[in-house]
Amino acid sequence: MTASERIARAEEILLAEHRKSLRDASAYELHSALSKACMLEIAPAWRATEARRAEGKRAVYLSAEYLMGRLVFNNLYCMDILDQAREMLLEKGVDLALLEEVEDTALGNGGLGRLAACYLDSAATHDLPLDGYGLRYRFGLFKQKIENCRQVEVPDDWTRYGDPWSVRRDELAVVVPMKTGDVRAVPYDMPVIGYKSGKISTLRLWQAESLQELDFRLFNEQKYRLAASRKNQAEDITKVLYPNDTLKAGKQMRIKQQYMLVSASLQDMLRQLDAMGQPLEKFPDLFQAQLNDTHPSMGIPEWIRLAEARGVSFDQALDLAKRIFSYTNHTVMPEALERWDMDVLSSVQPEIARNLRRIDEACRRECGLGIVEDHQAHMARLAVYGSHHVNGVAEIHSELVKKTVFREWYEKFPEKFVNVTNGITQRRFLGLCNPELTVLIKSRIGDGFLTDLPQLKNLLPHIDGMKEEFLQVKHEKKRRFAAFLKGHAGVEISPDWIFDVQVKRLHEYKRQFLNALSILDLANGVRDGSIRDFYPTVFLFGAKSAPGYVRAKSIIYLINCVAEKINADEQLREVMQVVFVPNYNCTVAEKIIPAADLSEQISPAGTEASGTSNMKLMLNGAPTLGTYDGANVEIVAEAGMENNFIFGARVEELQALRDYNPRAIYEAEPRIRKVVDTLVDGTFPDPDGGLRELWEALLNGASWHRPDHHFLLKDFLSYQEARLTANRAYRDRQHWAEMCLKNVANAGKFSSDRAVEEYARIIWDL
Ligand SMILES: *Cc1c(COP(=O)(O)O)cnc(C)c1O
């Protein structure tokens, strides 16, 4: 289809649906018409991909989260028509940038949900038969505002601009049985468009609806509220995404969500098996199901329920399950592993609780280890036992999985445990969000890297001759981000300063708190003259906290207080500025990551399973200022220690640390004492005691943890040294550019293309 035919089609849709021309279309109308024109255009390829996949073995990704981001630009980009469409529309007097208002599809919290989205993108691009199943939440992750230095949550009405990229598939609806009332699961299909591949994968999202739209009897009896309540009760199941990242949400509603996801998805796969005329025993040879964390692990007992209903014995059903499922673990922190009370499970689906007990018994018979303990189902143990492979998400993490949380399980089933280091899609996180750097790279090595990232290695011989251009590109991206920030948050920053960036969910283990304390110490150093020639730096934070995570919210408050204080100080504001960028999401990520000079990845060694923002930032030429943790280890192995700034204790040291005494450090180090005490000495207003609580957590601990359990004080001085080293290194612009480009050139390993290929080969045997 030519560009003008495509635009003509959009114009027709606009006329039919809104009686408007392009020029007077609103953002909503333009978005709707253009997206629908694209949906028409890709329909044949989508149908063909679906038909071909229906014939053979394929894998499905089961995930409670998909952080898709804004769809429209990425979809145009993957169809390879973005630039064309922009130009054509401009000729018609329409600026495609109008669509910058369109909401993100944020049906996920952070890394785990974004990973799912990246994997679907890579599979479609490389024609690997992988489709996704998830939930169509009415409200995605909340939007964040900052008021009086604090996070305020606003509901995320992501379909406010319509949902032209979904197709409702009423004919494929299934009934999900629950003790609390059966619900109808209606699938909405989203295309995942392979980059220039002509292949389209499907993300099938289930929406909960009532079996009965309206209870007429009650309605006629004029019991209106009661009549509607059934409908609401059903719809509530997919009303909101749980905004908890890693912390468990002990809620019956969460169990309903998880159960609905797996029951509807397995029923859907069984329907396809039947359509192929294949017996149940063939299921593992035709479907491989990847559990993205334990959220979909109820799929194992649900599979057994569905298989038994088809006349298969329990033992055979369990054997089949072990050939169908695989499990990706995302954390070794014990408090973040899901456990459900058996009573609560029973109240939603007694058969699932019963099957869990039978699986537990089978497991105890087979290997002596249990899944259900103290009336709680340990979902990670279930996932390990019911899967043929268990993978960690970075080398260091996969080793820790075997040595710590699943040590006993590893001893019983060593052959199950493998590593697949996470990856990110270079289409969204380089091609789309940084066309300037993409053009520069293309000018030296062609454009093969967009589908084969290791080709970036070919840049190495060109680095010397690209430094100037790289610095220009970086400056341009910083200028652009500065302009965005002015509009988005009303804050002005200078593109001539260092952009020091920490963007990720707010979590204690990610140590944004350490970053904030460190900034206070740098400020003290600048003020008292012990730090001289400090290169002017903007410290940028972007992070959402789970709404109920009190301490994380106090850390957001602290960062904003530090920002106010420093930005108002006559002397300090000459060389430093602190900015909390509100509402960090995929779209903000795409703007800030190309502009970053330094990538803050500062979790204590052994806590961040992989991290993926570290990869996105590396790919955009930001050296890592980080600990030896997660994928940072592999980033340094690829790009060289000398091109990054690594600090802090190693995991072996932290594990061997017996009587860690942060108070001794606090008392011995006046610099540390000074910044820690700003939490309680009246420097910042603390009406609710949140800052004092942070102080207490560091020095005295809390009922549920030891003092400073994330080792802020232990790594503090080493962090400061690394920060100053980076700050000084930035002055040598030529050498800095070389470091950045070495990171770019060595980022090839971190593509999700490589990661899905490994899943397909090592785990799914596709
Ligand atoms: C990549 C990404 C993340 C994950 O960041 P980590 O630093 O790996 O935790 C979270 N949120 C968004 C919006 C992302 O794009």
Side-chain angles (χ1 to χ4, degrees):
M1 174 172 273
T2 68
S4 54
E5 283 168 348
R6 184 177 303 122
I7 297 298
R9 193 178 256 176
E11 283 179 308
E12 278 177 21
I13 295 171
L14 202 51
L15 188 64
E17 295 197 342
H18 304 286
R19 294 191 301 287
K20 293 258 180 88
S21 67
L22 275 174
R23 204 184 275 274
D24 37 47
S26 67
Y28 177 102
E29 292 155 353
L30 177 65
H31 178 245
S32 171
L34 189 59
S35 304
K36 284 175 182 170
C38 292
M39 285 291 264
L40 270 170
E41 186 170 342
I42 64 173
W46 196 0
R47 185 163 66 175
T49 308
E50 198 168 35
R52 205 155 61 90
R53 287 191 183 168
E55 289 166 8
K57 183 170 181 177
R58 64 209 113 135
V60 302
Y61 209 69
L62 293 178
S63 180
E65 303 189 10
Y66 289 89
L67 196 57
M68 302 301 285
R70 195 187 279 140
L71 300 173
V72 60
F73 294 114
N74 188 254
N75 285 351
L76 294 173
Y77 179 80
C78 288
M79 291 171 74
D80 198 24
I81 59 173
L82 177 61
D83 291 337
Q84 244 185 6
R86 191 182 279 119
E87 281 163 30
M88 290 286 301
L89 286 169
L90 211 54
E91 280 172 26
K92 305 245 172 191
V94 178
D95 188 353
L96 195 59
L98 195 60
L99 303 187
E100 296 267 348
E101 301 179 18
V102 175
E103 304 289 348
D104 276 29
T105 301
L107 308 182
N109 274 291
L112 175 151
R114 184 55 233 174
L115 189 75
C118 283
Y119 286 176
L120 294 183
D121 173 282
S122 285
T125 298
H126 291 281
D127 196 16
L128 275 164
L130 174 71
D131 296 291
Y133 283 109
L135 294 172
R136 187 170 188 269
Y137 305 104
R138 173 69 185 79
F139 295 99
L141 184 60
F142 66 87
K143 292 208 268 187
Q144 179 195 55
K145 288 188 176 165
I146 301 297
E147 285 172 10
N148 300 321
C149 297
R150 292 182 200 274
Q151 167 172 303
V152 175
E153 300 96 23
V154 183
D156 164 52
D157 185 6
W158 67 277
T159 58
R160 201 156 59 93
Y161 285 79
D163 181 19
W165 295 104
S166 292
V167 185
R168 182 180 166 100
R169 303 290 302 273
D170 243 319
E171 78 282 14
L172 300 180
V174 297
V175 175
V176 176
M178 292 192 219
K179 195 175 174 186
T180 46
D182 296 358
V183 294
R184 216 163 95 87
V186 184
Y188 281 70
D189 285 356
M190 263 185 195
V192 179
I193 302 170
Y195 177 71
K196 295 190 191 178
S197 73
K199 301 295 183 297
I200 317 264
S201 301
T202 302
L203 173 56
R204 182 159 289 170
L205 300 175
W206 300 101
Q207 173 166 294
E209 296 185 7
S210 172
L211 292 180
Q212 247 177 311
E213 267 308 285
L214 194 67
D215 189 322
F216 267 109
R217 192 179 53 82
L218 289 172
F219 195 81
N220 284 334
E221 290 166 12
Q222 302 183 19
K223 294 175 180 159
Y224 302 121
R225 207 170 300 157
L226 208 59
S229 83
R230 280 249 189 93
K231 177 171 149 71
N232 291 342
Q233 226 179 36
E235 288 176 2
D236 277 348
I237 295 175
T238 48
K239 190 74 62 166
V240 288
L241 165 78
Y242 273 82
N244 281 321
D245 194 49
T246 70
L247 284 181
K248 61 182 172 113
K251 295 265 159 56
Q252 195 193 45
M253 191 62 89
R254 175 80 167 188
I255 292 177
K256 289 187 192 175
Q257 288 188 336
Q258 295 187 350
Y259 180 63
M260 177 169 142
L261 166 62
V262 296
S263 180
S265 305
L266 284 167
Q267 290 185 55
D268 193 53
M269 286 182 255
L270 284 168
R271 177 188 54 76
Q272 295 175 60
L273 183 84
D274 293 342
M276 296 171 87
Q278 295 286 351
L280 202 67
E281 295 70 39
K282 280 275 177 229
F283 197 98
D285 303 320
L286 294 168
F287 292 95
Q288 286 292 303
Q290 191 69 34
L291 307 173
N292 193 23
D293 212 317
T294 56
H295 316 143
S297 59
M298 275 176 225
I300 296 161
E302 174 63 2
W303 160 262
I304 289 174
R305 189 185 73 83
L306 293 166
E308 284 191 316
R310 289 174 170 235
V312 164
S313 74
F314 173 82
D315 288 341
Q316 201 188 346
L318 181 57
D319 280 343
L320 288 170
K322 290 181 191 166
R323 293 173 49 213
I324 297 166
F325 294 98
S326 306
Y327 159 52
T328 303
N329 170 275
H330 287 272
T331 178
V332 293
M333 288 186 286
E335 70 274 18
L337 296 176
E338 280 190 313
R339 280 173 296 166
W340 296 121
D341 287 332
M342 291 298 282
D343 305 345
V344 188
L345 278 170
S346 280
S347 72
V348 175
Q349 231 303 357
E351 284 217 54
I352 290 302
R354 175 165 165 268
N355 285 346
L356 262 162
R357 289 206 194 281
R358 294 156 84 202
I359 298 169
D360 175 61
E361 283 159 21
C363 180
R364 285 174 195 273
R365 270 198 306 277
E366 183 178 341
C367 70
L369 299 173
I371 293 166
V372 181
E373 213 173 272
D374 298 333
H375 302 285
Q376 283 198 321
H378 290 242
M379 304 312 275
R381 299 181 192 169
L382 168 69
V384 172
Y385 181 63
S387 292
H388 54 85
H389 283 87
V390 177
N391 76 287
V393 291
E395 278 166 19
I396 184 178
H397 168 66
S398 294
E399 287 308 308
L400 281 171
V401 161
K402 295 191 277 191
K403 284 186 201 142
T404 61
V405 272
F406 299 137
R407 189 171 47 79
E408 299 163 299
W409 296 86
Y410 173 61
E411 283 165 8
K412 303 287 182 190
F413 306 104
E415 68 292 343
K416 284 193 187 187
F417 288 77
V418 295
N419 171 247
V420 181
T421 297
N422 280 169
I424 53 150
T425 169
Q426 66 267 36
R427 270 76 63 186
R428 188 180 278 265
F429 291 107
L430 180 59
L432 178 64
C433 75
N434 200 344
E436 296 85 350
L437 182 56
T438 303
V439 166
L440 174 60
I441 297 170
K442 269 189 199 171
S443 73
R444 301 306 199 275
I445 64 168
D447 63 3
F449 65 97
L450 285 169
T451 50
D452 181 18
L453 202 60
Q455 286 188 27
L456 286 176
K457 279 258 189 310
N458 298 335
L459 279 177
L460 286 170
H462 299 281
I463 285 181
D464 268 344
M466 304 172 64
K467 294 179 194 167
E468 241 5 279
E469 287 159 274
F470 173 81
L471 292 173
Q472 277 166 20
V473 165
K474 187 58 86 176
H475 195 267
E476 170 63 12
K477 297 312 282 182
K478 291 166 78 170
R479 210 183 52 72
R480 291 273 188 95
F481 176 71
F484 165 79
L485 189 64
K486 186 141 188 275
H488 179 72
V491 178
E492 287 192 53
I493 59 176
S494 163
D496 298 326
W497 289 25
I498 297 175
F499 285 11
D500 175 313
V501 172
Q502 186 174 18
V503 283
K504 49 188 73 256
R505 280 301 287 264
L506 202 306
H507 217 287
E508 287 167 274
Y509 86 81
K510 291 178 183 277
R511 298 204 295 197
Q512 286 97 345
F513 186 19
L514 172 62
N515 189 345
L517 291 177
S518 147
I519 292 169
L520 287 170
D521 180 56
L522 292 173
N524 289 338
V526 168
R527 215 185 266 120
D528 69 20
S530 59
I531 298 175
R532 258 169 280 151
D533 303 323
F534 187 73
Y535 202 102
T537 301
V538 198
F539 299 97
L540 291 152
F541 291 84
K544 288 179 184 174
S545 158
Y549 189 174
V550 175
R551 200 174 277 166
K553 287 186 142 179
S554 298
I555 295 169
I556 291 181
Y557 173 68
L558 172 67
I559 294 166
N560 282 292
C561 287
V562 170
E564 276 193 353
K565 188 117 204 134
I566 285 177
N567 303 345
D569 186 300
E570 294 282 342
Q571 183 192 358
L572 293 176
R573 66 203 270 181
E574 296 297 311
V575 290
M576 57 205 294
Q577 185 178 4
V578 181
V579 179
F580 191 96
V581 183
N583 200 39
Y584 180 63
N585 62 9
C586 231
T587 289
V588 175
E590 288 164 38
K591 295 184 187 294
I592 196 168
I593 286 169
D597 291 311
L598 259 183
S599 164
E600 296 270 354
Q601 309 295 339
I602 62 176
S603 51
T607 60
E608 185 73 270
S610 161
T612 48
S613 73
N614 46 2
M615 302 171 184
K616 300 167 195 165
L617 285 152
M618 175 198 202
L619 183 59
N620 284 272
T624 298
L625 171 53
T627 50
Y628 213 60
D629 193 21
N632 300 352
V633 175
E634 290 159 72
I635 286 176
V636 170
E638 294 293 309
M641 204 57 132
E642 69 285 6
N643 296 309
N644 292 286
F645 303 92
I646 300 302
F647 70 92
R650 302 285 174 105
V651 66
E652 301 78 18
E653 187 186 344
L654 291 182
Q655 279 174 345
L657 205 62
R658 283 293 154 240
D659 330 286
Y660 173 51
N661 184 358
R663 190 171 279 275
I665 302 176
Y666 166 86
E667 271 155 16
E669 285 295 338
R671 271 170 56 200
I672 292 182
R673 194 162 63 241
K674 187 166 174 184
V675 294
V676 169
D677 282 347
T678 56
L679 297 169
V680 291
D681 67 6
T683 303
F684 309 114
D686 188 22
D688 60 356
L691 300 183
R692 174 163 292 274
E693 206 277 326
L694 290 176
W695 187 92
E696 288 286 340
L698 280 181
L699 297 170
N700 297 327
S703 59
W704 67 95
H705 71 77
R706 300 203 289 197
D708 190 21
H709 58 321
H710 295 299
F711 305 105
L712 275 66
L713 304 194
K714 167 119 184 103
D715 282 345
F716 193 92
L717 292 178
S718 155
Y719 182 37
Q720 293 309 74
E721 214 174 285
R723 268 195 140 163
L724 288 174
T725 305
N727 186 275
R728 280 189 293 270
Y730 190 84
R731 259 178 213 283
D732 183 346
R733 305 303 294 127
Q734 291 300 304
H735 181 241
W736 184 267
E738 181 177 328
M739 290 176 69
C740 298
L741 284 164
K742 290 249 170 84
N743 274 284
V744 176
N746 289 300
K749 176 176 180 183
F750 303 105
S751 171
S752 44
D753 300 349
R754 187 264 317 146
V756 287
E757 185 277 325
E758 288 180 8
Y759 278 95
R761 183 163 43 83
I762 302 170
I763 299 181
W764 306 325
D765 192 24
L766 289 181

